[in-house]
Amino acid sequence: MEPLYVAHATSSGAGREGHVATDDGLIDLDLAIQKELGGPGGKTNPEQLFAAGYAACFHSALQAVARAAKADLGASTVEASVGIGKEGEGFGLNAILEVSTPGAPREVAEALVAKAHELCPYSNATRGNIVVEIDLVQVAGE
């Protein structure tokens, strides 16, 4: 693959209790381990960053396939939840995408979500690596 864009970020300090920043300065955050993992919480963590990226990327893919199909999604949203837990000797992730398409009926929304899941780079990167569940939480007429 020949990249069309490359993002650059650096982690410094103590990893999950350190600092992350992008080379353009748009992200410049201190990190903290979540309370649920034994840390102090109160600051951004890597799973939040992943969830935000996945939600935005999947939403963009969904809007692209809807435009191509000339389908109305209404005021669509994508909410991503990323979980972390023990998996064997290490840790693993899972993701749940809750998709709302109040302008499209269920049958249309399901087809568009399936196409978006094939198009989205985050979906392609996670496919076969982590469990990704996609739920349609709101559609037209329901």
Side-chain angles (χ1 to χ4, degrees):
M1 176 201 75
E2 181 65 32
L4 300 174
Y5 168 76
V6 177
H8 298 277
T10 301
S11 170
S12 59
R16 287 181 166 274
E17 293 182 291
H19 188 86
V20 292
T22 54
D23 63 342
D24 60 9
L26 293 176
I27 296 175
D28 193 352
L29 302 168
D30 288 329
L31 302 176
I33 296 174
Q34 304 90 312
K35 287 183 181 181
E36 297 83 353
L37 297 179
K43 294 182 183 165
T44 303
N45 62 67
E47 288 70 38
Q48 290 172 316
L49 296 170
F50 187 80
Y54 202 168
C57 188
F58 193 89
H59 198 197
S60 182
L62 180 62
Q63 291 172 334
V65 297
R67 273 191 308 275
K70 296 184 181 6
D72 180 13
L73 297 175
S76 63
T77 61
V78 175
E79 180 180 319
S81 301
V82 173
I84 182 171
K86 288 292 283 177
E87 186 172 76
E89 295 296 315
F91 287 85
L93 300 173
N94 69 4
I96 300 170
L97 302 177
E98 292 183 346
V99 180
S100 174
T101 59
R106 181 162 294 277
E107 186 176 292
V108 172
E110 286 174 349
L112 295 172
V113 163
K115 286 181 182 177
H117 194 44
E118 295 299 317
L119 179 64
C120 175
Y122 277 67
S123 291
N124 288 328
T126 58
R127 189 172 289 109
N129 297 309
I130 70 171
V131 173
V132 176
E133 177 184 321
I134 303 174
D135 298 325
L136 273 171
V137 296
Q138 182 185 15
V139 295
E142 291 182 16

